[in-house]
């Protein structure tokens, strides 16, 4: 049996045109294989990918340890329901919680993790409390609860009514949050660093201020660590970089190195609020995803990737800051761990196509910010190559 026909990009695109709902803007390229931070299309063209798997492929493509663990698991058990115990789920929960806190629930995606965390916060607080405070430019996913939590009007157009009980505050404005809290508020939900919103690092003391407000008013503080978790900021979880402990955190994206997997983690004393029967996920915690997650965490540990991230982070910061001094079209450089945002004074969207022509894949968010979420094992030479290409493009744009 084979599921591969070696179609050309054009042939694959024709299938999509006929059979796939056209809700994504796709580049006209069919990708067929990857290795490390390099990926190839059906015509054999090679790209250096600094946004691999939209931030999910944290070990890059085809990491040998991850591939071996997945192969081994596939040959024994792919999935059994949560009416049974499996070693893989226990071990992966241990891998996560021993590096953070509390207890884990597994699902399959970021949005699902957010939905579960919101349910848990409502269940854990008294019945009159249901309101959740979130932040403008935040991003939490596309299901109804998650998209309502996402305070960006462009994602709400035409799909209302949204879920009741969400209030939005400007990012970084502690007083605005305090003003929104009333006796019906149950939770504050925030990304430690806003990702899709443009790599927005909170002002000093902001997350601690939220912790204090949550404590004062009996609120559940939820950190959406779907992008900042699992090493991205150079610490196992983003909250550890800021030294502020949430009550609940959500994980997905890189959690299993590119295999679909989500989770939320809550403090031990909160866990019993998710009473048996109140929440579930059929695929959540399946053996395949758990084995992939375990192998991903092992690779981060054994390959010393957290310290590599710290080095690379410093290098990206220095390189782009230097470039910003040469090029006034760079308005701001925001780097934390392997999360890189370079904001321009002009639209950054043309950079994506120009970079692709030069064999580099990257992302632009919020129209003006170039965003990189490199694999944690990105070698220095490839980082240099990528920044060289970006510099070339920005010089062209600046002189145009
Ligand atoms: C990607 C992302 C999500 C949504 O995850 P999905 O797996 O696409 O549902 C939620 N929150 C943050 C911070 C994200 O980056």
């Amino acid at each position: 049996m084979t599921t591969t026909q070696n179609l050309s990009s054009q042939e694959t695109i024709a299938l999509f045109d006929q059979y796939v709902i056209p809700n994504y803007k796709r580049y006209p390229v069919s990708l067929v294989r990857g290795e490390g931070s390099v990926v190839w299309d059906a015509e054999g063209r090679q790209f250096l990918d600094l946004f691999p798997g939209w931030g999910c492929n944290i070990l890059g493509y085809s990491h040998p340890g991850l591939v071996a663990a997945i192969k081994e698991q596939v040959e024994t058990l792919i999935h059994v329901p949560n009416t049974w115990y499996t070693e893989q789920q226990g071990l992966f929960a241990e891998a996560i919680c021993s590096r953070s806190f509390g207890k884990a629930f597994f699902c399959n995606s970021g949005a699902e993790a957010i939905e579960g965390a919101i349910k848990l916060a409502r269940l854990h607080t008294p019945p009159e409390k249901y309101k959740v405070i979130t932040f403008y430019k935040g991003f939490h996913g596309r299901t109804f609860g998650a998209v309502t939590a996402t305070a960006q009007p462009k994602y709400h157009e035409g799909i209302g009514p949204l879920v009741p009980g969400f209030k939005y505050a400007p990012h970084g404005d502690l007083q605005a949050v305090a003003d929104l809290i009333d006796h019906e508020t149950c939770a504050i939900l925030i990304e430690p660093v806003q990702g899709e919103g443009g790599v927005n690092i909170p002002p000093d003391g902001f997350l601690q201020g939220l912790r204090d407000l949550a404590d004062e008013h009996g609120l559940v503080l939820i950190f959406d660590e779907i992008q900042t978790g699992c090493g991205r900021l150079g610490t196992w979880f983003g909250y550890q970089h800021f030294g502020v402990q949430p009550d609940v955190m959500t994980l997905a994206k890189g959690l299993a190195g590119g295999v679909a997997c989500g989770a939320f983690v809550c403090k031990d004393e909160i866990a019993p609020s998710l009473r048996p029967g109140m929440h579930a996920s059929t695929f959540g915690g399946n053996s395949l995803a758990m084995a992939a997650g375990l192998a991903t965490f092992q690779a981060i540990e054994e390959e010393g990737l957290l310290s590599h991230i710290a080095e690379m982070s410093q290098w990206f910061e220095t390189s782009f800051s230097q470039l910003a001094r040469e090029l006034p079209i760079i308005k701001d450089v925001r780097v934390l761990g392997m999360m890189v945002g370079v904001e321009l004074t002009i639209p950054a969207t043309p950079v994506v196509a120009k970079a692709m022509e030069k064999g580099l894949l990257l992302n632009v968010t919020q129209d003006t910010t170039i965003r990189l979420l490199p694999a944690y094992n990105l070698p220095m030479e490839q980082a240099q190559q990528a920044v060289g290409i970006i510099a070339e493009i920005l010089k062209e744009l600046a002189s145009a």
Side-chain angles (χ1 to χ4, degrees), residues 80-118:
V80 292
N82 280 299
T83 40
W84 306 93
Y85 291 93
T86 60
E87 172 179 325
Q88 287 75 29
Q89 189 174 146
L91 288 173
F92 191 35
E94 179 189 41
I96 296 167
C97 298
S98 67
R99 292 175 170 91
S100 55
F101 58 94
K103 292 183 167 38
F105 171 91
F106 290 102
C107 50
N108 313 286
S109 69
E112 264 182 88
I114 292 290
E115 299 292 336
I118 293 168

Side-chain angles (χ1 to χ4, degrees), residues 193-208:
V193 175
Q194 288 186 333
E196 194 267 356
V199 188
N200 304 322
I201 300 167
D204 283 346
F206 183 61
L207 296 177
Q208 183 58 49

Side-chain angles (χ1 to χ4, degrees), residues 54 108-112 114 139-142 191 195-196 224-227 250 252-253 371:
W54 210 261
N108 313 286
S109 69
E112 264 182 88
I114 292 290
F139 185 82
H140 302 292
R142 305 304 198 115
E191 297 155 85
E196 194 267 356
D224 179 349
E225 296 246 19
I226 291 164
Q227 203 165 122
T250 55
K253 292 237 158 75
R371 180 166 60 138

Side-chain angles (χ1 to χ4, degrees), residues 148-226:
T148 307
T150 297
Q152 300 194 51
K154 64 180 177 188
Y155 296 132
H156 295 169
E157 270 169 34
I159 59 162
L162 298 174
V163 177
F166 286 81
K167 300 280 170 202
Y168 309 138
H171 188 240
D173 186 342
L174 216 47
Q175 188 55 50
V177 179
D179 291 344
L180 284 176
I181 296 173
D182 62 26
H183 68 285
E184 293 173 332
T185 308
C186 79
I188 298 171
L189 166 62
I190 188 169
E191 297 155 85
V193 175
Q194 288 186 333
E196 194 267 356
V199 188
N200 304 322
I201 300 167
D204 283 346
F206 183 61
L207 296 177
Q208 183 58 49
L210 295 180
R211 177 70 274 173
D212 296 342
L213 282 173
D215 290 341
E216 192 181 322
H217 297 276
L219 315 179
V220 178
L221 182 62
I222 307 168
F223 281 0
D224 179 349
E225 296 246 19
I226 291 164

